[in-house]
Amino acid sequence: MPRSLGTAALACLVQVASFGAASAAETPWPAFGHDSSNRNFSELTQIDRDSVGRLRPAWVFQTGVTGYFQAQPVMVAGTLYVSTTQNNVAALDARTGQPIWTYTHKARTEKIFGPPSNRGLAVSGGLVFEATMDGRLIALDAKTGKIAWDKEAVRPEEGESETASGLAATLGGKPVQGSSRLGFKMPPLVVEGLVIVGVTGAGYGLHIEDEAGGLDGGAVVGIEGGYGRRGWLAAYDAMTGEERWRWYVTPSEGWEGGFVEKTADGTPLHRDIAAEKAAAPANRDAWRVGGGSLWMTPAYDADLGLIYLGTGNPAPQNFGLSRPGDNLYTMCLVALDVKTGTLRWYYQQVPHDEWGYDVAAPPFLLDLPGGAKAVASASKTGWIYVHDRATGRLIARSAPLIDQKNLFSPPTPQGTVVAPGPLGAVSWPPTAYDGRRAYVQVRHGATTYTVKTVPATAGRPEIRYTETGEARGEPSFSTLTAVDLGDGGKIAWSVRSASRLSGGTLATAGGLVFSGEEDGHLDAHDARDGRVLWRFQCGAGISGPAMTYALDGKQFLAVAAGGASFTKASGFGTGDALLVFALPD
């Protein structure tokens, strides 16, 4: 039976392999994405195309906290560190899974954004750093788990709006929550003595709560008016927790940008610019609630002193007249000075977004043939964008990852079917890159965007909002797709999955790509052609990326299995297990 992650005695440990004496030799996985390049790639080769068929569980650690287990573990100095959905942390012997210490998080508020989840930790300088869903940044002693410092960065309920009287009854009888709550989901980036992290929950405005009390299954609606929050990224001193700088996604001046008719790469946006300009005088202060969540860990170029991050949608989501203009710097890949947070450049993928196309996947660094230093971003719109790291100049855009339909067509009262929908072609799960190809989990599907109007009543004005729903008759499936970024972004291969893919990818020098599925399977694909060489049923959906490390000459593979936010709808159960695999001795 699963038990609480509070003390070592309460951990359920299953060991099915034995290991030799300790050795100083190791190949760590010290940070989310492996390192600050965010490539999710390992040079290890012991587990390869020929040997992967013999891969077996080495040990299993059960956290006692089920569901939304999205974290990628990290391994440093023989210790594996992992966080749970409730922000608990465990330090485990990376050879055996034996608990060394555990930390049980005590949230200061139950008011959080969406379903509870945490996507990982950072370990540096003898400290373990975690950003929590209740708005705190915590440093734990890596040897003991004791709190070194605890910084309250934001209160999730801070600035929350009250729901308009009678609104809930007008929207399907479901409760409508006030403006979104801020918190943290991303693993922190630790560089230059700074812990860098950004908030989620900024870009939604009012929203309907689902049965679980979170934001799932299309429950988010963009209701006209000032009901969002202002997203930000901040850097904190790694030794003390003191804030060093903060960058707001939506600036106080110039937030409107222009009124462009096409994206920067030339795709028509189908905007009603005349209507936006007519609405501008009444909405000059929309920046105060302008949105722009930050979903995943930035990449970092030490030579340039720049960090690269993707920003989320403006608020209110999917309804744009109350925020006229391009809505800078939402829906962008941005480069910031790591020491000051000063904006160096930006590239807006979707000006004036009305579809929920956050730049959510973590950007990754790459060196192109000929030596060009680049940064790439896999997008919800269905392309991978490749930019010059120093200037932001668009070097290339990949071939489409999906069959796009009515892309950037605005929501209408009749309903507009658009592919991809707000879950995107590529959402927050990370992309693996092996030096030539990017391996990305792609969702194929469409959404119907419908503008709805609730007539005015005594004491309440007319309410307009955009509702998202299933596009009936449209295909819905997932592929693992390899994109050759060394050859202009051509699709090298694409393999359709039996169930929805989630959690992201891991590539290794052994010629393998690991990818998780919502039905609980962890798959190893041949990087040459996508063939499945090995599968393992982990008992619950995979919703976080796998990682790999080596100790004493032995390579291990680790992945969390806890289900996903769509588990209830999909019919699959939840779990609480961290599974670690190795080849038999």
Side-chain angles (χ1 to χ4, degrees):
M1 294 290 292
R3 284 164 286 181
S4 173
L5 176 62
T7 65
L10 296 180
C12 176
L13 177 67
V14 180
Q15 260 190 264
V16 293
S18 60
F19 309 98
S23 167
E26 70 173 49
T27 302
W29 188 280
F32 174 83
H34 191 208
D35 55 39
S36 58
S37 71
N38 269 349
R39 291 177 183 170
N40 275 278
F41 174 75
S42 171
E43 295 285 355
L44 294 174
T45 59
Q46 186 178 93
I47 302 170
D48 62 12
R49 297 184 185 99
D50 297 326
S51 64
V52 70
R54 298 186 289 115
L55 199 61
R56 299 290 186 271
W59 52 266
V60 176
F61 177 77
Q62 291 180 269
T63 69
V65 181
T66 59
Y68 308 113
F69 199 178
Q70 297 178 332
Q72 183 183 64
V74 296
M75 197 286 287
V76 177
T79 301
L80 193 72
Y81 300 90
V82 66
S83 57
T84 74
T85 177
Q86 300 289 353
N87 296 125
N88 298 341
V89 180
L92 311 170
D93 186 306
R95 297 171 178 83
T96 67
Q98 183 66 36
I100 298 170
W101 56 258
T102 58
Y103 162 78
T104 302
H105 185 65
K106 296 180 180 179
R108 295 176 184 172
T109 177
E110 294 182 358
K111 291 186 174 184
I112 62 170
F113 165 70
S117 63
N118 179 271
R119 293 171 180 164
L121 308 164
V123 180
S124 180
L127 296 174
V128 179
F129 300 97
E130 180 185 37
T132 72
M133 58 190 179
D134 61 321
R136 290 152 63 192
L137 186 60
I138 296 172
L140 306 173
D141 186 287
K143 292 184 177 180
T144 66
K146 294 182 179 179
I147 295 176
W149 51 260
D150 182 345
K151 169 77 173 182
E152 185 176 72
V154 63
R155 287 187 176 271
E157 68 274 24
E158 189 176 285
E160 186 172 3
S161 301
E162 294 295 329
T163 301
S165 175
L167 185 58
T170 68
L171 297 180
K174 295 182 179 180
V176 176
Q177 182 176 287
S179 66
S180 293
R181 300 156 180 162
L182 296 184
F184 299 113
K185 290 182 181 290
M186 71 165 65
L189 171 68
V190 184
V191 292
E192 305 293 340
L194 300 172
V195 185
I196 300 171
V197 68
V199 292
T200 60
Y204 291 109
L206 297 178
H207 52 262
I208 300 172
E209 291 195 355
D210 62 13
E211 293 180 2
L215 302 176
D216 196 14
V220 177
V221 294
I223 300 177
E224 180 180 23
Y227 296 108
R229 303 289 294 278
R230 197 179 178 203
W232 50 263
L233 183 88
Y236 301 85
D237 188 288
M239 297 305 297
T240 66
E242 293 301 312
E243 185 174 319
R244 295 305 181 206
W245 56 256
R246 180 177 296 203
W247 176 77
Y248 284 96
V249 176
T250 305
S252 58
E253 295 183 7
W255 64 271
E256 304 93 339
F259 292 86
V260 299
E261 296 182 352
K262 296 180 180 180
T263 63
D265 50 308
T267 307
L269 286 166
H270 310 295
R271 292 168 67 172
D272 188 343
I273 291 176
E276 286 184 48
K277 289 184 175 180
N283 293 280
R284 297 190 187 281
D285 290 333
W287 63 271
R288 297 182 182 276
V289 288
S293 292
L294 300 165
W295 294 103
M296 287 306 294
T297 308
Y300 171 57
D301 183 321
D303 292 334
L304 294 174
L306 296 180
I307 58 174
Y308 306 91
L309 63 146
T311 65
N313 60 266
Q317 185 186 38
N318 304 341
F319 196 96
L321 281 182
S322 59
R323 48 172 174 81
D326 294 345
N327 306 142
L328 299 179
Y329 295 101
T330 64
M331 319 308 285
C332 287
L333 180 68
V334 302
L336 305 180
D337 185 292
V338 70
K339 294 182 179 179
T340 65
T342 303
L343 179 69
R344 289 284 190 87
W345 59 257
Y346 73 94
Y347 181 92
Q348 190 168 35
Q349 292 183 6
V350 188
H352 194 72
D353 173 79
E354 295 190 277
W355 306 272
Y357 290 151
D358 310 71
V359 184
F364 58 95
L365 305 185
L366 65 159
D367 299 332
L368 294 174
K373 302 291 186 180
V375 57
S377 172
S379 72
K380 283 190 176 184
T381 55
W383 291 291
I384 298 179
Y385 297 87
V386 181
H387 302 266
D388 182 282
R389 284 187 219 170
T391 66
R393 178 181 62 87
L394 183 65
I395 297 173
R397 190 185 72 175
S398 75
L401 306 177
I402 68 167
D403 290 329
Q404 296 154 329
K405 182 175 184 177
N406 298 328
L407 189 62
F408 303 137
S409 293
T412 61
Q414 299 77 27
T416 302
V417 175
V418 179
L423 293 179
V426 184
S427 188
W428 72 265
T431 302
Y433 177 71
D434 65 4
R436 183 173 181 85
R437 290 176 176 175
Y439 304 94
V440 59
Q441 294 177 330
V442 183
R443 290 176 177 173
H444 301 250
T447 293
T448 300
Y449 294 83
T450 306
V451 176
K452 296 200 170 184
T453 302
V454 179
T457 61
R460 191 198 65 203
E462 177 183 86
I463 299 170
R464 294 181 295 176
Y465 65 98
T466 299
E467 182 177 77
T468 59
E470 178 186 0
R472 296 183 180 180
E474 296 291 331
S476 179
F477 59 95
S478 291
T479 59
L480 179 65
T481 299
V483 182
D484 195 335
L485 296 182
D487 188 19
K490 295 178 181 178
I491 304 299
W493 50 260
S494 190
V495 177
R496 185 164 175 166
S497 173
S499 67
R500 188 154 62 176
L501 298 179
S502 59
T505 54
L506 163 70
T508 74
L512 299 173
V513 181
F514 291 92
S515 174
E517 301 186 45
E518 73 168 20
D519 69 357
H521 281 101
L522 178 64
D523 305 326
H525 296 257
D526 191 319
R528 295 172 298 190
D529 55 21
R531 288 183 301 122
V532 176
L533 302 177
W534 172 87
R535 301 186 84 202
F536 188 88
Q537 175 52 254
C538 295
I542 308 298
S543 56
M547 53 82 78
T548 188
Y549 61 94
L551 285 168
D552 307 332
K554 192 177 190 72
Q555 184 180 354
F556 297 85
L557 174 77
V559 71
S565 60
F566 40 80
T567 294
K568 183 175 181 180
S570 69
F572 297 104
T574 57
D576 70 340
L578 174 68
L579 294 93
V580 178
F581 302 86
L583 297 174
D585 292 335

